[in-house]
Amino acid sequence: MNFRWILLVKCLLLLFPSVKCSITNWIYMAVNESALLSIAAASGSIYDATWLRDRQRLLQIKDKKVKYYVNKDRCRCKIFLNGTLQIEQVVKEDSGKYTVTVYQQDGKLKAEEETMFIVQEPVPQPILSAECVNKTVSVKCEVKQKTKDETFIIELTQDKSKKIQKNATRLELHTRYSGTFRCVVKNQVSEKTAEKVIKCSGQLDLYLILSIAGGAIFFVIFVILLIYCIRKKKAERLEDDHEEQMMQARQANSEMVVRELPQPPCNPTPKQLRVQQRPLPQPQVQQQALPPRPRPRTQQRTPNHPRERP
């Protein structure tokens, strides 16, 4: 019955141009920060505004006087003259639906607005791990929860491929390529990243294969050019040596021709004449020693007796 009456009132407010209909805003805030919940319909100071959280009244400002319906220290909240609600050092228990109703001085409803206020913990550091199975890389990004209802947005990327999952605490990616993997965990108030280079043994990625092939081709070309240069220098050296030998042979032949040319006759001196008249020493030929010849045996001669005369 209460719900139907509220719905009926909201519909009737459409008939009055001076009344603003309910507006729902979403505000996210990190723990221990200060939040400001403003009123969109307020311009300057207002006469009467009341703030409620989950249909429970918190405080009211009327004719510049503030009235608290809850413990002020427990609420950690205050209201400004323009109706803005401030909550200091917010905690997760401050999350909820905040409703503000604004009345004019004559008692007519001026505006009613709703704000969904959500307090979140900063995301923890993600844990990035990998496992190689049958030449396939299985990468896992995981976040530890502080509470059971805590979820995150997880993005797992590798080069140009990306996988996103909302309201999760773990995300897995399977690929056949090694490389740099990046995991991003975030919510509405914070974001953290983990990055890791993962390579499986026995697996070569495309860039590595191309780099190895390019290096091999460059090495082969370098070796061919080196062999060509060595052979060219060797041929030039042999050609130079051949030319040098030819020149030496020509020079030797010319010297021999000069030596064989007859000397022109000239008047010899007396000393030269004496030298020319001297007989040239004959070379002594060493005769080979022959073995001594055997002497003939001498026969003893018989004495010659005088013949007797008959």
Side-chain angles (χ1 to χ4, degrees):
M1 188 69 182
N2 240 351
F3 177 74
R4 292 180 180 178
W5 183 82
I6 294 174
L7 183 61
L8 180 61
V9 170
K10 289 183 178 180
C11 292
L12 291 175
L13 291 175
L14 296 174
L15 302 175
F16 301 92
S18 60
V19 176
K20 300 282 184 174
C21 298
S22 61
I23 301 173
T24 302
N25 300 322
W26 290 80
I27 297 178
Y28 294 88
M29 193 66 56
V31 175
N32 294 326
E33 293 186 358
S34 295
L36 292 174
L37 308 183
S38 60
I39 303 174
S43 57
S45 61
I46 59 175
Y47 177 74
D48 185 3
T50 304
W51 280 95
L52 297 86
R53 181 179 64 195
D54 297 331
R55 298 184 180 181
Q56 180 183 3
R57 287 190 296 182
L58 296 176
L59 72 171
Q60 177 186 21
I61 183 171
K62 186 175 183 181
D63 197 14
K64 299 181 181 181
K65 294 179 182 180
V66 180
K67 180 181 180 181
Y68 284 89
Y69 295 96
V70 294
N71 190 306
K72 183 177 181 181
D73 296 332
R74 184 180 176 183
C75 179
R76 304 180 315 283
C77 55
K78 61 181 179 180
I79 191 170
F80 296 101
L81 294 178
N82 61 355
T84 300
L85 177 67
Q86 182 182 19
I87 307 174
E88 297 179 348
Q89 297 179 350
V90 296
V91 294
K92 296 190 69 175
E93 289 74 14
D94 294 329
S95 300
K97 183 173 70 172
Y98 285 76
T99 305
V100 59
T101 54
V102 181
Y103 291 90
Q104 297 179 357
Q105 192 170 359
D106 56 2
K108 291 182 180 180
L109 182 64
K110 182 179 181 181
E112 181 178 349
E113 298 179 4
E114 292 181 353
T115 302
M116 289 300 301
F117 182 65
I118 300 173
V119 180
Q120 293 182 334
E121 292 276 356
V123 296
Q125 182 66 31
I127 301 172
L128 192 62
S129 59
E131 184 180 4
C132 298
V133 179
N134 297 329
K135 297 183 179 180
T136 301
V137 186
S138 178
V139 184
K140 181 172 63 175
C141 182
E142 191 173 3
V143 184
K144 292 184 178 181
Q145 292 176 294
K146 292 184 178 180
T147 58
K148 292 183 179 181
D149 60 340
E150 192 174 23
T151 57
F152 312 96
I153 300 173
I154 302 178
E155 296 179 3
L156 192 54
T157 59
Q158 193 260 339
D159 292 337
K160 294 182 179 179
S161 61
K162 179 186 289 188
K163 189 175 182 180
I164 303 175
Q165 188 169 349
K166 297 181 180 180
N167 301 325
T169 58
R170 186 176 64 179
L171 179 62
E172 293 186 7
L173 176 65
H174 302 280
T175 179
R176 300 184 64 86
Y177 301 101
S178 300
T180 303
F181 292 83
R182 187 169 182 262
C183 177
V184 180
V185 178
K186 58 185 177 180
N187 55 16
Q188 302 294 336
V189 297
S190 62
E191 176 180 324
K192 286 190 178 179
T193 305
E195 191 170 302
K196 191 175 183 180
V197 178
I198 300 172
K199 291 186 178 180
C200 290
S201 59
Q203 183 187 28
L204 296 176
D205 56 7
L206 180 61
Y207 297 105
L208 185 58
I209 293 173
L210 292 177
S211 61
I212 292 174
I217 294 172
F218 176 78
F219 178 74
V220 171
I221 294 174
F222 174 77
V223 171
I224 292 173
L225 292 176
L226 183 62
I227 294 173
Y228 172 76
C229 294
I230 292 174
R231 288 186 176 181
K232 185 177 180 181
K233 288 186 177 180
K234 188 175 181 181
E236 292 177 354
R237 189 180 301 169
L238 291 175
E239 187 176 355
D240 294 341
D241 293 343
H242 181 69
E243 291 181 358
E244 185 176 355
Q245 291 177 0
M246 292 293 294
M247 291 180 64
Q248 290 179 357
R250 291 174 183 175
Q251 186 176 2
N253 291 336
S254 62
E255 289 179 357
M256 292 294 295
V257 171
V258 171
R259 289 179 182 178
E260 291 177 357
L261 290 176
Q263 297 292 334
C266 59
N267 296 326
T269 60
K271 186 176 181 179
Q272 291 177 349
L273 290 174
R274 287 194 299 271
V275 172
Q276 291 177 359
Q277 290 175 1
R278 290 180 183 177
L280 297 174
Q282 297 293 330
Q284 296 181 2
V285 179
Q286 294 182 0
Q287 296 181 356
Q288 186 176 2
L290 298 177
R293 294 180 180 180
R295 293 181 181 180
R297 295 180 180 180
T298 57
Q299 298 180 0
Q300 294 182 359
R301 295 179 182 181
T302 59
N304 294 330
H305 295 283
R307 292 181 180 181
E308 294 180 359
R309 291 181 181 181

